Amino acid sequence: MHDDLLARAQTWLAEDPDPETRAELGKLIEAGDVAELAARFSGTLQFGTAGLRGELGAGPMRMNRSVVIRAAAGLAGYLKKNGGTGGLVVVGYDARHKSADFARDTAAVMTGAGLRAAVLPRPLPTPVLAYAIRHLGAVAGVEVTASHNPPRDNGYKVYLGDGSQIVPPADAEIAAEIDAVRSLDDVPRPESGWETLDDTVLDAYLARTDAVLAAGSPRTARTVYTAMHGVGKDVLLAAFARAGFPEPVLVAEQAEPDPDFPTVAFPNPEEPGAMDLAFAAARATGPDLIVANDPDADRCAVAVPDGGDWRMLRGDEVGALLAAHLVRRGARGTFAESIVSSSLLGRIAEKAGLPYEETLTGFKWIARVEGLRYGYEEALGYCVDPEGVRDKDGITAALLITELASQLKEEGRTLLDLLDDLAVEHGLHATDQLSVRVQDLSVIADAMRRLRERPPVSLAGLAVTRAEDLTRGTDRLPPTDGLRYTLEGARVIVRPSGTEPKLKCYLEVVIPVTGLTALPAARARATDLLASIKRDLSAAAGI
């Protein structure tokens, strides 16, 4: 076993084009570190939710230049087999460690394969890349990003010419082409021949951001903004200036790109502590709302003043607010969300007489809904301009929520007042998440197996009226690894995360509300129910 492992490591070392990972692997081989070598050579990073994502380092189970070159060669092979020969591939990248190198390698591989490649001028938000694909008539796009993952990670997100992320069977077909790459020596990588774009594409994207706002709408809401050490700041500030909003107060410590994300444990606005500096800035300056992007600015988080301090709104709350705003503005078209998001969107769409669709988790599915006008996912992802960006876009979402806050401000109201109105109109839809991060992935598999073998018959004293194993698919959904429980007045979905070592359980309770005065009691009841469901679900899953 050791000899085989060593041979594979040495073969990899001989091909590795990166002096850093070569040195790292050389030391592991020299030290005879079998455990670490086994971890890196136990397989290959798999094409997951939207491509590749993993920890930086040497070997096929890590993100590195060798893995990226193979991925790019696989994508090029797939495009050529599917009529893309000579077509344009646009490449974008964030400010993480190695992102610029991975983007350059991708452009070189595409050029060497007889495709045309164009690289965005500098680290920019993912939605700019998603926009550029359709704007430039490309056959595909690649974004080098690990979004909100820890600093040591990077990733590789693949879009096809429709401007949305890959879905089956394209992912499996690209993976097969990657597997067919025998040696990096077989992959031509010229030193030049691709285009580095100027700011024309970015300017076109920014010109389009104006279209998400209503002509002549109020633009008075004051914001505090954090880029979470990512690439959102310049583009968001430019979009806000164009729109005529007051200039956001920046969270200075997090404003500039920094691949080490020094002020946060995880650069994800949803993680505990990530918004603390933004809250401090808001307490000091008293804005109407806080807006945050994740590091690649495709997500948008919102916080509001509540009872003397600041509270982060849940993704489902922002999702409902944006939907209500668009309905009020007379939007037509389909409203869509993933199955793990709040059922409130369906109620809002139904009352407005609009078509409504539920999809599997991920914007690769939401973006494909026919006639889409608005789509959202509880993990802070919102698509408010599907004709421009067929993906989540944290810049245009920030504009739209700030427009809504401005409109309410003119009426002497707040985002929380509108949430109260929605609860009275449609019932209080309260959501929560039980999320378990693991070191050992078998913990997740064991929990899913336990739930499949012994599905709960009740949670929090509510009878489970329907238990669905989503691996079988439904009449509306393709198969996926997940479980859905329908209860009397509640819903639970359990699934392994597609991008992180986490088991995720999405909970929702719906409580009828007779009027505004009944809201406090309904909220207390919802909080109790969600806590009890969490406890009972944890026990049933053995986590």
Side-chain angles (χ1 to χ4, degrees), residues 53 71 80 132 139 141 157 181 205 216 245 275 285 316 363 394 418 426 457 500 503 515:
R53 204 178 282 189
K80 287 163 80 172
V139 294
K157 198 183 261 197
V181 178
Y205 167 83
F245 287 113
M275 295 287 283
T285 58
D316 284 318
F363 262 82
L418 180 52
H426 304 287
V457 291
E500 298 173 273
L503 181 69

Side-chain angles (χ1 to χ4, degrees), residues 119-261:
V119 184
L120 292 180
R122 59 185 169 281
L124 285 166
T126 294
V128 177
L129 181 274
Y131 169 79
I133 295 164
R134 296 176 71 209
H135 179 68
L136 297 173
V139 294
V142 170
E143 176 70 19
V144 179
T145 181
S147 191
H148 56 281
N149 275 38
R152 62 177 184 274
D153 289 4
N154 213 329
Y156 198 79
K157 198 183 261 197
V158 177
Y159 297 76
L160 292 181
D162 62 356
S164 50
Q165 298 170 40
I166 52 168
V167 293
D171 53 355
E173 289 170 25
I174 294 168
E177 292 289 332
I178 294 169
D179 290 344
V181 178
R182 287 199 320 277
S183 160
L184 289 194
D185 299 336
D186 301 340
V187 182
R189 299 199 308 283
E191 287 294 311
S192 61
W194 58 88
E195 183 186 357
T196 300
L197 295 165
D198 59 17
D199 277 355
T200 313
V201 168
L202 175 60
D203 293 342
Y205 167 83
L206 282 167
R208 190 151 180 114
T209 61
D210 302 354
V212 306
L213 302 174
S217 62
R219 312 272 165 99
T220 53
R222 290 169 26 259
T223 52
V224 157
Y225 171 71
T226 174
M228 207 69 61
H229 300 296
V231 299
K233 181 197 72 166
D234 291 349
V235 178
L236 182 124
L237 289 180
F240 269 56
R242 285 182 69 102
F245 287 113
E247 186 176 344
V249 172
L250 297 179
V251 178
E253 303 94 324
Q254 299 175 333
E256 299 304 326
D258 187 333
D260 294 319
F261 304 105

Side-chain angles (χ1 to χ4, degrees), residues 77-440:
Y78 167 85
L79 292 171
K80 287 163 80 172
K81 278 191 178 167
N82 287 274
T85 305
L88 176 68
V89 178
V90 197
V91 185
Y93 59 102
D94 67 11
R96 281 177 179 266
H97 294 296
K98 299 279 183 195
S99 287
D101 295 344
F102 295 168
R104 189 178 187 281
D105 282 331
T106 300
V109 170
M110 295 303 161
T111 306
L115 291 139
R116 291 179 299 123
V119 184
L120 292 180
R122 59 185 169 281
L124 285 166
T126 294
V128 177
L129 181 274
Y131 169 79
I133 295 164
R134 296 176 71 209
H135 179 68
L136 297 173
V139 294
V142 170
E143 176 70 19
V144 179
T145 181
S147 191
H148 56 281
N149 275 38
R152 62 177 184 274
D153 289 4
N154 213 329
Y156 198 79
K157 198 183 261 197
V158 177
Y159 297 76
L160 292 181
D162 62 356
S164 50
Q165 298 170 40
I166 52 168
V167 293
D171 53 355
E173 289 170 25
I174 294 168
E177 292 289 332
I178 294 169
D179 290 344
V181 178
R182 287 199 320 277
S183 160
L184 289 194
D185 299 336
D186 301 340
V187 182
R189 299 199 308 283
E191 287 294 311
S192 61
W194 58 88
E195 183 186 357
T196 300
L197 295 165
D198 59 17
D199 277 355
T200 313
V201 168
L202 175 60
D203 293 342
Y205 167 83
L206 282 167
R208 190 151 180 114
T209 61
D210 302 354
V212 306
L213 302 174
S217 62
R219 312 272 165 99
T220 53
R222 290 169 26 259
T223 52
V224 157
Y225 171 71
T226 174
M228 207 69 61
H229 300 296
V231 299
K233 181 197 72 166
D234 291 349
V235 178
L236 182 124
L237 289 180
F240 269 56
R242 285 182 69 102
F245 287 113
E247 186 176 344
V249 172
L250 297 179
V251 178
E253 303 94 324
Q254 299 175 333
E256 299 304 326
D258 187 333
D260 294 319
F261 304 105
T263 67
V264 287
F266 288 97
N268 177 355
E270 292 179 293
E271 292 281 348
M275 295 287 283
D276 287 357
L277 287 169
F279 290 155
R283 288 180 197 118
T285 58
D288 299 297
L289 72 164
I290 298 171
V291 171
N293 286 138
D294 67 338
D296 69 326
D298 62 352
R299 296 166 191 246
C300 175
V302 179
V304 293
D306 184 16
D309 203 3
W310 284 81
R311 169 166 88 81
M312 182 103 147
L313 294 180
R314 303 191 69 83
D316 284 318
E317 292 177 310
V318 177
L321 288 169
L322 291 174
H325 183 43
L326 289 169
V327 164
R328 185 169 165 182
R329 275 182 25 188
R332 310 307 300 162
T334 302
F335 279 31
E337 65 180 339
S338 63
I339 55 170
V340 299
S341 305
S342 168
S343 59
L344 177 55
L345 184 70
R347 306 259 175 115
I348 292 170
E350 185 184 13
K351 178 123 195 218
L354 295 174
Y356 164 76
E357 287 284 335
E358 262 191 333
T359 73
L360 292 185
T361 312
F363 262 82
K364 59 182 183 178
W365 298 108
I366 295 170
R368 284 187 155 68
V369 167
E370 212 166 302
L372 181 68
R373 174 59 187 88
Y374 169 64
Y376 99 90
E377 184 152 80
E378 56 71 48
L380 311 183
Y382 314 94
C383 174
V384 301
D385 175 26
E387 287 309 302
V389 175
R390 290 202 179 166
D391 198 4
K392 52 187 178 291
D393 181 346
I395 306 292
T396 48
L399 287 170
L400 199 61
I401 197 75
T402 309
E403 177 185 61
L404 172 58
S406 300
Q407 192 174 331
L408 291 165
K409 185 179 179 176
E410 301 295 297
E411 297 165 10
R413 286 155 47 80
T414 67
L415 294 172
L416 292 182
D417 293 330
L418 180 52
L419 283 173
D420 287 350
D421 291 350
L422 291 172
V424 172
E425 191 174 355
H426 304 287
L428 176 67
H429 289 62
T431 57
D432 202 355
Q433 200 184 110
L434 170 64
S435 185
V436 185
R437 188 181 287 275
V438 300
Q439 292 296 312
D440 178 0

